[in-house]
Amino acid sequence: MEDKNQGSASKPTKGITRRSFIRGAGLSTAGSVLLTSNALAFDYKEQATVGKEFGPDAITIKMKVNGIVKSLSVEPRTTLASALRDHLELTGTKVVCDRGSCSACTVYVDGKPVNSCMMSAFDVGEKEVTTIEGIAKNGELHPVQQAFIEHDASQCGYCTPGMVMSCVHLVENNANPDLEDVKNATRGNLCRCGTYPHVFKATLAASKKTI
Ligand code: FES
Ligand code: FES
């Protein structure tokens, strides 16, 4: 998926490994402070302190998730995926490869799909995070979620939340997607159970009900 912070399995990211990401987390957080300090507002003053070093102890950050601002205490190296799952109990986001290869951990950051295992929680700053738990509205499943059920587009389910996030993003940004559009939208989402034909049918069916 083009919008994601990392490439798909067929085109692995060059030069960044899981280990180097963790090792460089402190560096990247300092960089983000410098880059975004002018734009930060409300409760992000702590993160916005130019030149301040954090870690290795936990720090308190604020993060807007599914429309609600949450406060959490995390080590600076904590990934967004871990912050969601281990600190906010939003376990709908799945971690499978934990290295940016499968997109099981897809969430939106300011409306764009990202692999949350490859983003520092600290780097979210004032951007808004949307998880699979925030896709249904007023107790009603999103048409894509409903279509996944009707078209049997899930088996073990590990890839499903990330797959749904990619497909929802497509149908909400393309009024009339075709099969190639769906394949492109999900090309980073690996499904070991081989549900792709069902995912494609479900998404095309849902697109007719979405916009
Ligand atoms: S890309 Fe994040 S768990 Fe695989
Ligand atoms: S449903 Fe099992 S990995 Fe996709």
Side-chain angles (χ1 to χ4, degrees):
M1 171 170 293
E2 288 173 5
D3 285 331
K4 287 188 182 160
N5 46 0
Q6 299 300 325
S8 67
S10 59
K11 193 175 179 185
T13 304
K14 289 183 181 174
I16 299 176
T17 63
R18 171 79 179 159
R19 180 168 299 190
S20 66
F21 164 70
I22 294 298
R23 191 186 295 135
L27 204 58
S28 69
T29 54
S32 72
V33 166
L34 291 170
L35 286 171
T36 61
S37 58
N38 289 336
L40 294 176
F42 65 106
D43 278 309
Y44 299 103
K45 291 193 179 81
E46 178 84 357
Q47 289 100 308
T49 307
V50 175
K52 182 166 182 175
E53 292 185 6
F54 297 103
D57 296 333
I59 55 171
T60 300
I61 62 172
K62 304 252 182 184
M63 189 185 296
K64 192 171 187 182
V65 183
N66 299 330
I68 300 171
V69 176
K70 311 265 191 178
S71 179
L72 57 163
S73 179
V74 294
E75 293 179 17
R77 67 188 177 115
T78 303
T79 63
L80 173 55
S82 174
L84 294 170
R85 288 180 53 81
D86 304 326
H87 296 264
L88 297 178
E89 299 184 354
L90 294 170
T91 53
T93 299
K94 302 303 179 203
V95 175
V96 177
C97 72
D98 205 13
R99 56 177 297 155
S101 297
C102 73
S103 295
C105 61
T106 300
V107 301
Y108 305 152
V109 175
D110 270 358
K112 293 185 179 176
V114 303
N115 291 330
S116 59
C117 73
M118 294 297 288
M119 182 172 192
S120 160
F122 187 97
D123 280 343
V124 172
E126 67 177 352
K127 299 186 187 81
E128 180 158 4
V129 177
T130 305
T131 69
I132 188 71
E133 289 89 349
I135 294 299
K137 299 287 184 225
N138 303 318
E140 295 236 346
L141 292 178
H142 188 280
V144 167
Q145 293 174 303
Q146 188 62 42
F148 266 54
I149 295 170
E150 291 167 4
H151 291 265
D152 201 16
S154 179
Q155 288 192 39
C156 79
Y158 271 93
C159 74
T160 306
M163 197 76 87
V164 167
M165 295 301 280
S166 294
C167 294
V168 167
H169 186 262
L170 171 68
V171 302
E172 293 198 340
N173 289 279
N174 183 338
N176 190 25
D178 60 21
L179 180 57
E180 283 308 304
D181 293 326
V182 183
K183 287 182 178 178
N184 275 333
T186 57
R187 71 175 190 258
N189 294 86
L190 300 188
C191 176
R192 291 153 186 81
C193 301
T195 59
Y196 297 106
H198 298 266
V199 167
F200 300 157
K201 276 186 201 162
T203 305
L204 290 172
S207 71
K208 295 178 175 47
K209 302 178 186 171
T210 303
I211 295 183

